[in-house]
Amino acid sequence: MTSLLGRALGRHSDAEERSSGFDQSWPPNAFTFGGISYPIFGSGQMTGDVERTQHNFTQYVQQAYKANGVIFSVILSRLLLFSEVRFQWQRINNGRPGDLFGTPELGILETPWPNGTTGELLAKMEQDVSLAGNCYIVRDGDRLRRLRPDWVDIVLTAPPEEAAASDVAGYRYRPGGDISKATPVFYLPENCAHWSPIPDPEAQYRGMSWLTPVLAEIQADKGATEHKRRFFLNAATPNMAVLLPAEMTKTQFEEFKSTMNAGHQGVSNAYKTLYLGGGADVKTLGAHWKELDFKATQGAGETRIAAAGGVPPIIVGLSEGLAAGTYNNFGQARRLFGDKWARPQWRSACAALSVLVQAPSTGTPVRLWYDSRDVTFLLEDQADAADVQNKQANTFSQLVSAGYEPNSVRDAIEASDWSLLVHTGLFSVQLQPPTDGTMPGAVPIDQPTPPDPAPAPDPNQDGGNGNPA
């Protein structure tokens, strides 16, 4: 991790300091980007402008993730699948993805910190992008460190309104979130992996949490949950109205109210017989849960939340998904979740993390990629893929047997473009040139066929002179 803090602790050489782009003084007073020096003032402010997380990260965590079962379940479903893959290198052959392989350089992604695992790294990344829209990972020697997203500012070379001319100059990390209480640490773009899978349309580089569009649904779901809680706390029955005689005094009313609440309010008093006197009359304002239709109301909100999170309701285990679900529906939902959400997430995460590892020199381009072959959730997809490959192999064999060049057959199958097929000019099946003459009795087809020999004369016929032979 090339950071000011690291240099202050003597962890980096002079060469690393010169390449970091930071001023050599401590505390720092400037850093450079693109050959331009950006001054840093004592207050922690700097020229240009910044983009930062708009919402309160703590509120999202405490009031949504830790306080709402639906939000927790959706993020957990995403996290459990997302954290299952391993990182590998992938060769790119003539622009096409090739085989996967590993090198020792990937060890930092396999053990990102002491006792840490790839799954824990990916779990942290998923939580950050779900709750903040952004994830920041920096390298510190032979380990990785996660920066709390709401304490990071994206430092730009120009104000955000000048988007066409604004680049990322670096990332400013404010420990504790307050730059007046702690010295900020700065990282250059090549030293910080910034992952923001959902771009914020109001920003140039900042990401957006998927929770933002469904805040109203989250509030409604919490309201419905609180309504149910109040239902059981107050009477274990819908609201009741008690009609009392007009001549009752205020003191009598307070005594009656206190006595009735003590004897009939709350779950422990549910279903008790209600005895009233003095002309009091009770009217029930709601008879049962069906009239309130909580299941339909709350279920619709849960479905909208799951849709925003990219997780089919049946995968999460929500009521609406289970009511309409069958084993066949689950298989379709599983494939949708894997293809539409998980694979794009893995792809973008690999692109973000690639700045933290050095790609090997293999003679061909390579990229950081994910290996999902051991992900149990996707095994059925792999079975389907094997079936497709089997059909492609049969097609390949038939076309080669028909005389097409093997390389052109491969290209045609990969591109699904039959116009790429090139014929060898050889006979099908045997694939022998029709003019080689190696077979007994073979005659080159480019020579005329000799005429059949004249039949021998019949000795029983006239020999041509009118006399029997």
Side-chain angles (χ1 to χ4, degrees), residues 212-269:
T212 302
V214 289
L215 287 178
E217 278 75 16
I218 296 174
Q219 294 171 349
D221 185 78
K222 292 180 67 175
T225 301
E226 178 63 16
H227 194 122
K228 289 188 295 185
R229 191 175 75 90
R230 291 293 179 182
F231 170 86
F232 290 109
L233 287 177
N234 290 331
T237 183
N239 295 339
M240 293 188 301
V242 181
L243 305 180
L244 300 173
E247 60 272 14
M248 178 176 287
T249 65
K250 183 177 180 180
T251 300
Q252 291 174 329
F253 170 77
E254 293 295 340
E255 291 178 354
F256 177 85
K257 177 181 175 183
S258 177
T259 302
M260 184 173 179
N261 287 341
H264 298 281
Q265 193 175 45
V267 177
S268 60
N269 293 319

Side-chain angles (χ1 to χ4, degrees), residues 10 34 54 113 133 167 181 210 223 234-235 237 240 276 312 331 364 366 379 400 434-435 440 451 463:
Q54 287 186 311
W113 48 79
D167 296 315
K181 296 182 180 180
W210 66 265
N234 290 331
T237 183
M240 293 188 301
L276 299 175
T364 58
V366 298
L379 286 181
V400 171
T435 60

